[in-house]
Amino acid sequence: MTIAYWIVAALLAVFYAYAGGKKAVQSKERLEPMMGWVDRTPMALVRVIGVCELLGAAGLVLPPATGIATWLALAASAGFVLVQAGGIAVHLARGEGRLIGLNVVLLAIAACEVWLSTIWW
């Protein structure tokens, strides 16, 4: 289970560090081609989401690696489940049901990580 945890945590951490970093620093114009939802979202909120994704990526890796506050890994993975549920809701509200595939996959992976972190600790 330890190996499974680290594989899934690494995949999620890399994805969210990349996506969160982009949201945290790039302009609206650079984000719109990849993330159409930023057209109607205040950039301050986009930045907050990006920073939260960066913190969540760190939360998946650092607490278990250091043995300090390991419960943060569970909180981070549960947070990513909520982020993807929100992403699915935004896409559906915008009439973009065909775009939820990645969100569904990430939600499933994050849910798996929740399960792995509850068994591992």
Side-chain angles (χ1 to χ4, degrees), residues 2-18:
T2 301
I3 293 170
Y5 174 85
W6 282 111
I7 290 170
V8 176
L11 290 171
L12 283 175
V14 167
F15 177 84
Y16 282 108
Y18 174 75

Side-chain angles (χ1 to χ4, degrees), residues 8-108:
V8 176
L11 290 171
L12 283 175
V14 167
F15 177 84
Y16 282 108
Y18 174 75
K22 288 181 87 58
K23 290 176 190 129
V25 299
Q26 285 190 340
S27 67
K28 182 180 272 197
E29 293 74 28
R30 297 224 24 214
L31 290 173
E32 279 182 1
M34 273 181 38
M35 304 170 201
W37 57 271
V38 301
D39 65 347
R40 295 186 191 153
T41 307
M43 277 311 288
L45 180 57
V46 174
R47 302 269 187 247
V48 167
I49 292 168
V51 169
C52 288
E53 288 177 349
L54 287 168
L55 291 172
L60 288 175
V61 177
L62 294 178
T66 62
I68 300 169
T70 54
W71 59 270
L72 287 172
L74 174 60
S77 53
F80 287 140
V81 169
L82 296 175
V83 165
Q84 291 310 316
I88 290 168
V90 166
H91 281 306
L92 293 176
R94 290 173 50 98
E96 302 170 339
R98 69 190 188 291
L99 299 178
I100 66 169
L102 178 61
N103 299 95
V104 170
V105 169
L106 288 169
L107 186 140

